[in-house]
């Protein structure tokens, strides 16, 4: 069974990553496109600039940030397309959502991973 995993872009790519998708709106500092080993850059699925600036990686705001980001994902036209693409990728192997944030416990990639898994499960029924 293939899965959706998350990984910081600064970690070494591995064969088990499968399809690697950068889910940040901004390109990560200090990483070349060659070193990133990405299959796709899905900046359209990242939090809006307004939400990202409001959140400013403040862990105290993470719960509210998560709610607002989930609402954005549900209303984002690119969300349905991204979800469909991930379903196809998962037929071929793992999907790794790649992000740059230092705080791995309060990352938008965690919210996105949860949303994808929930949506894929709901649509599979």
């Amino acid at each position: 069974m293939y899965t959706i995993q998350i990984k910081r872009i600064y970690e070494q790519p591995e064969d088990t990553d499968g399809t690697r998708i950068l889910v940040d709106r901004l390109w990560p500092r200090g990483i070349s496109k060659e070193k990133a080993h990405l299959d796709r850059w899905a900046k359209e699925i990242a939090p809006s600039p307004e939400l990202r600036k409001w959140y400013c990686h403040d862990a105290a705001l993470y719960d509210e940030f998560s709610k607002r980001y989930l609402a954005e994902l549900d209303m984002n036209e690119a969300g349905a397309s991204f979800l469909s693409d991930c379903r196809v990728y998962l037929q071929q192997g793992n999907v790794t959502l790649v992000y740059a944030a230092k705080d791995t416990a309060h990352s938008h990639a965690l919210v996105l991973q949860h949303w994808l898994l929930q949506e894929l499960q709901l649509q599979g029924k």
Side-chain angles (χ1 to χ4, degrees):
M1 180 73 178
Y2 299 118
T3 190
I4 298 172
Q5 50 200 9
I6 61 173
K7 181 183 253 187
R8 288 193 74 221
I9 195 155
Y10 303 103
E11 296 176 49
Q12 189 67 28
E14 298 173 317
D15 292 339
T16 57
D17 287 350
T19 302
R20 289 173 51 90
I21 306 169
L22 178 61
V23 294
D24 285 347
R25 193 167 295 272
L26 304 174
W27 188 263
R29 291 182 183 151
I31 296 289
S32 67
K33 291 186 180 186
E34 294 77 27
K35 188 176 179 183
H37 297 281
L38 296 173
D39 297 293
R40 178 175 176 182
W41 181 11
K43 56 185 160 187
E44 70 281 357
I45 203 74
S48 67
E50 297 81 18
L51 181 57
R52 185 178 53 81
K53 289 175 187 174
W54 171 84
Y55 176 46
C56 198
H57 299 285
D58 181 348
L61 298 174
Y62 186 71
D63 289 341
E64 181 62 24
F65 166 78
S66 296
K67 290 176 192 174
R68 291 182 186 192
Y69 183 38
L70 287 170
E72 282 190 358
L73 288 169
D74 288 338
M75 295 178 61
N76 185 346
E77 291 180 13
S81 176
F82 185 73
L83 183 62
S84 178
D85 291 347
C86 284
R87 182 178 289 106
V88 172
Y89 300 146
L90 285 166
Q91 292 173 358
Q92 303 162 9
N94 292 330
V95 171
T96 300
L97 307 176
V98 182
Y99 67 101
K102 291 179 185 176
D103 185 350
T104 59
H106 301 97
S107 163
H108 75 284
L110 283 170
V111 178
L112 179 57
Q113 178 191 37
H114 174 77
W115 180 80
L116 286 168
L117 291 171
Q118 183 176 15
E119 291 296 315
L120 289 168
Q121 183 179 36
L122 290 175
Q123 291 183 3
K125 291 182 179 180

PDB file of all heavy atoms in Angstrom, residues 98-113:
ATOM      1  N   VAL A  98       6.917  17.835  -0.005  1.00  0.00           N
ATOM      2  CA  VAL A  98       8.184  18.431   0.401  1.00  0.00           C
ATOM      3  C   VAL A  98       7.946  19.898   0.765  1.00  0.00           C
ATOM      4  O   VAL A  98       7.230  20.614   0.066  1.00  0.00           O
ATOM      5  CB  VAL A  98       9.217  18.316  -0.742  1.00  0.00           C
ATOM      6  CG1 VAL A  98      10.555  18.887  -0.330  1.00  0.00           C
ATOM      7  CG2 VAL A  98       9.368  16.858  -1.177  1.00  0.00           C
ATOM      8  N   TYR A  99       8.535  20.310   1.878  1.00  0.00           N
ATOM      9  CA  TYR A  99       8.356  21.677   2.380  1.00  0.00           C
ATOM     10  C   TYR A  99       9.656  22.154   3.013  1.00  0.00           C
ATOM     11  O   TYR A  99      10.570  21.370   3.255  1.00  0.00           O
ATOM     12  CB  TYR A  99       7.208  21.735   3.393  1.00  0.00           C
ATOM     13  CG  TYR A  99       7.517  20.986   4.666  1.00  0.00           C
ATOM     14  CD1 TYR A  99       7.922  21.657   5.804  1.00  0.00           C
ATOM     15  CD2 TYR A  99       7.449  19.595   4.720  1.00  0.00           C
ATOM     16  CE1 TYR A  99       8.229  20.969   6.973  1.00  0.00           C
ATOM     17  CE2 TYR A  99       7.747  18.904   5.871  1.00  0.00           C
ATOM     18  CZ  TYR A  99       8.136  19.592   6.994  1.00  0.00           C
ATOM     19  OH  TYR A  99       8.450  18.909   8.139  1.00  0.00           O
ATOM     20  N   ALA A 100       9.730  23.462   3.317  1.00  0.00           N
ATOM     21  CA  ALA A 100      10.973  24.033   3.837  1.00  0.00           C
ATOM     22  C   ALA A 100      10.916  24.454   5.296  1.00  0.00           C
ATOM     23  O   ALA A 100      11.961  24.672   5.906  1.00  0.00           O
ATOM     24  CB  ALA A 100      11.380  25.240   2.988  1.00  0.00           C
ATOM     25  N   ALA A 101       9.750  24.566   5.884  1.00  0.00           N
ATOM     26  CA  ALA A 101       9.623  25.093   7.247  1.00  0.00           C
ATOM     27  C   ALA A 101      10.498  24.335   8.243  1.00  0.00           C
ATOM     28  O   ALA A 101      10.617  23.114   8.168  1.00  0.00           O
ATOM     29  CB  ALA A 101       8.167  25.044   7.698  1.00  0.00           C
ATOM     30  N   LYS A 102      11.084  25.074   9.183  1.00  0.00           N
ATOM     31  CA  LYS A 102      11.944  24.464  10.202  1.00  0.00           C
ATOM     32  C   LYS A 102      11.142  23.684  11.234  1.00  0.00           C
ATOM     33  O   LYS A 102      11.568  22.657  11.730  1.00  0.00           O
ATOM     34  CB  LYS A 102      12.756  25.549  10.926  1.00  0.00           C
ATOM     35  CG  LYS A 102      13.805  26.195  10.071  1.00  0.00           C
ATOM     36  CD  LYS A 102      14.535  27.272  10.855  1.00  0.00           C
ATOM     37  CE  LYS A 102      15.504  28.013   9.966  1.00  0.00           C
ATOM     38  NZ  LYS A 102      16.154  29.111  10.673  1.00  0.00           N
ATOM     39  N   ASP A 103       9.972  24.200  11.589  1.00  0.00           N
ATOM     40  CA  ASP A 103       9.143  23.587  12.621  1.00  0.00           C
ATOM     41  C   ASP A 103       8.326  22.452  12.004  1.00  0.00           C
ATOM     42  O   ASP A 103       7.273  22.673  11.407  1.00  0.00           O
ATOM     43  CB  ASP A 103       8.226  24.637  13.246  1.00  0.00           C
ATOM     44  CG  ASP A 103       7.424  24.098  14.418  1.00  0.00           C
ATOM     45  OD1 ASP A 103       7.415  22.875  14.638  1.00  0.00           O
ATOM     46  OD2 ASP A 103       6.796  24.922  15.116  1.00  0.00           O
ATOM     47  N   THR A 104       8.815  21.250  12.178  1.00  0.00           N
ATOM     48  CA  THR A 104       8.172  20.096  11.556  1.00  0.00           C
ATOM     49  C   THR A 104       6.854  19.712  12.233  1.00  0.00           C
ATOM     50  O   THR A 104       6.030  19.035  11.624  1.00  0.00           O
ATOM     51  CB  THR A 104       9.114  18.876  11.566  1.00  0.00           C
ATOM     52  OG1 THR A 104       9.463  18.566  12.919  1.00  0.00           O
ATOM     53  CG2 THR A 104      10.373  19.141  10.761  1.00  0.00           C
ATOM     54  N   ALA A 105       6.634  20.157  13.448  1.00  0.00           N
ATOM     55  CA  ALA A 105       5.407  19.817  14.172  1.00  0.00           C
ATOM     56  C   ALA A 105       4.261  20.785  13.877  1.00  0.00           C
ATOM     57  O   ALA A 105       3.116  20.502  14.213  1.00  0.00           O
ATOM     58  CB  ALA A 105       5.678  19.787  15.674  1.00  0.00           C
ATOM     59  N   HIS A 106       4.564  21.918  13.256  1.00  0.00           N
ATOM     60  CA  HIS A 106       3.547  22.943  12.993  1.00  0.00           C
ATOM     61  C   HIS A 106       3.621  23.414  11.541  1.00  0.00           C
ATOM     62  O   HIS A 106       3.540  24.603  11.259  1.00  0.00           O
ATOM     63  CB  HIS A 106       3.707  24.123  13.950  1.00  0.00           C
ATOM     64  CG  HIS A 106       3.599  23.725  15.380  1.00  0.00           C
ATOM     65  ND1 HIS A 106       4.695  23.475  16.169  1.00  0.00           N
ATOM     66  CD2 HIS A 106       2.507  23.494  16.155  1.00  0.00           C
ATOM     67  CE1 HIS A 106       4.282  23.121  17.373  1.00  0.00           C
ATOM     68  NE2 HIS A 106       2.961  23.128  17.393  1.00  0.00           N
ATOM     69  N   SER A 107       3.752  22.498  10.642  1.00  0.00           N
ATOM     70  CA  SER A 107       3.923  22.804   9.225  1.00  0.00           C
ATOM     71  C   SER A 107       2.608  22.699   8.469  1.00  0.00           C
ATOM     72  O   SER A 107       1.760  21.855   8.774  1.00  0.00           O
ATOM     73  CB  SER A 107       4.934  21.823   8.629  1.00  0.00           C
ATOM     74  OG  SER A 107       4.856  21.824   7.234  1.00  0.00           O
ATOM     75  N   HIS A 108       2.453  23.518   7.448  1.00  0.00           N
ATOM     76  CA  HIS A 108       1.272  23.406   6.586  1.00  0.00           C
ATOM     77  C   HIS A 108       1.254  22.064   5.850  1.00  0.00           C
ATOM     78  O   HIS A 108       0.199  21.570   5.484  1.00  0.00           O
ATOM     79  CB  HIS A 108       1.225  24.561   5.578  1.00  0.00           C
ATOM     80  CG  HIS A 108       2.193  24.432   4.461  1.00  0.00           C
ATOM     81  ND1 HIS A 108       3.543  24.681   4.601  1.00  0.00           N
ATOM     82  CD2 HIS A 108       2.016  24.029   3.179  1.00  0.00           C
ATOM     83  CE1 HIS A 108       4.143  24.464   3.447  1.00  0.00           C
ATOM     84  NE2 HIS A 108       3.240  24.076   2.566  1.00  0.00           N
ATOM     85  N   ALA A 109       2.428  21.457   5.674  1.00  0.00           N
ATOM     86  CA  ALA A 109       2.489  20.153   5.004  1.00  0.00           C
ATOM     87  C   ALA A 109       1.742  19.088   5.812  1.00  0.00           C
ATOM     88  O   ALA A 109       1.128  18.189   5.235  1.00  0.00           O
ATOM     89  CB  ALA A 109       3.943  19.737   4.775  1.00  0.00           C
ATOM     90  N   LEU A 110       1.779  19.183   7.133  1.00  0.00           N
ATOM     91  CA  LEU A 110       1.014  18.256   7.978  1.00  0.00           C
ATOM     92  C   LEU A 110      -0.487  18.419   7.743  1.00  0.00           C
ATOM     93  O   LEU A 110      -1.222  17.429   7.650  1.00  0.00           O
ATOM     94  CB  LEU A 110       1.313  18.495   9.456  1.00  0.00           C
ATOM     95  CG  LEU A 110       2.629  17.965   9.996  1.00  0.00           C
ATOM     96  CD1 LEU A 110       2.879  18.507  11.402  1.00  0.00           C
ATOM     97  CD2 LEU A 110       2.616  16.457  10.006  1.00  0.00           C
ATOM     98  N   VAL A 111      -0.926  19.657   7.649  1.00  0.00           N
ATOM     99  CA  VAL A 111      -2.344  19.930   7.409  1.00  0.00           C
ATOM    100  C   VAL A 111      -2.742  19.400   6.037  1.00  0.00           C
ATOM    101  O   VAL A 111      -3.778  18.752   5.886  1.00  0.00           O
ATOM    102  CB  VAL A 111      -2.632  21.448   7.522  1.00  0.00           C
ATOM    103  CG1 VAL A 111      -4.098  21.750   7.223  1.00  0.00           C
ATOM    104  CG2 VAL A 111      -2.234  21.975   8.891  1.00  0.00           C
ATOM    105  N   LEU A 112      -1.907  19.653   5.048  1.00  0.00           N
ATOM    106  CA  LEU A 112      -2.179  19.191   3.689  1.00  0.00           C
ATOM    107  C   LEU A 112      -2.205  17.664   3.624  1.00  0.00           C
ATOM    108  O   LEU A 112      -3.093  17.074   2.991  1.00  0.00           O
ATOM    109  CB  LEU A 112      -1.144  19.757   2.720  1.00  0.00           C
ATOM    110  CG  LEU A 112      -1.282  19.352   1.260  1.00  0.00           C
ATOM    111  CD1 LEU A 112      -2.649  19.719   0.693  1.00  0.00           C
ATOM    112  CD2 LEU A 112      -0.159  19.983   0.436  1.00  0.00           C
ATOM    113  N   GLN A 113      -1.261  17.019   4.280  1.00  0.00           N
ATOM    114  CA  GLN A 113      -1.229  15.558   4.315  1.00  0.00           C
ATOM    115  C   GLN A 113      -2.522  15.007   4.922  1.00  0.00           C
ATOM    116  O   GLN A 113      -3.143  14.093   4.362  1.00  0.00           O
ATOM    117  CB  GLN A 113      -0.025  15.075   5.121  1.00  0.00           C
ATOM    118  CG  GLN A 113       0.065  13.572   5.255  1.00  0.00           C
ATOM    119  CD  GLN A 113       1.104  13.134   6.276  1.00  0.00           C
ATOM    120  OE1 GLN A 113       1.283  13.783   7.318  1.00  0.00           O
ATOM    121  NE2 GLN A 113       1.808  12.059   5.972  1.00  0.00           N
TER     122      GLN A 113
END
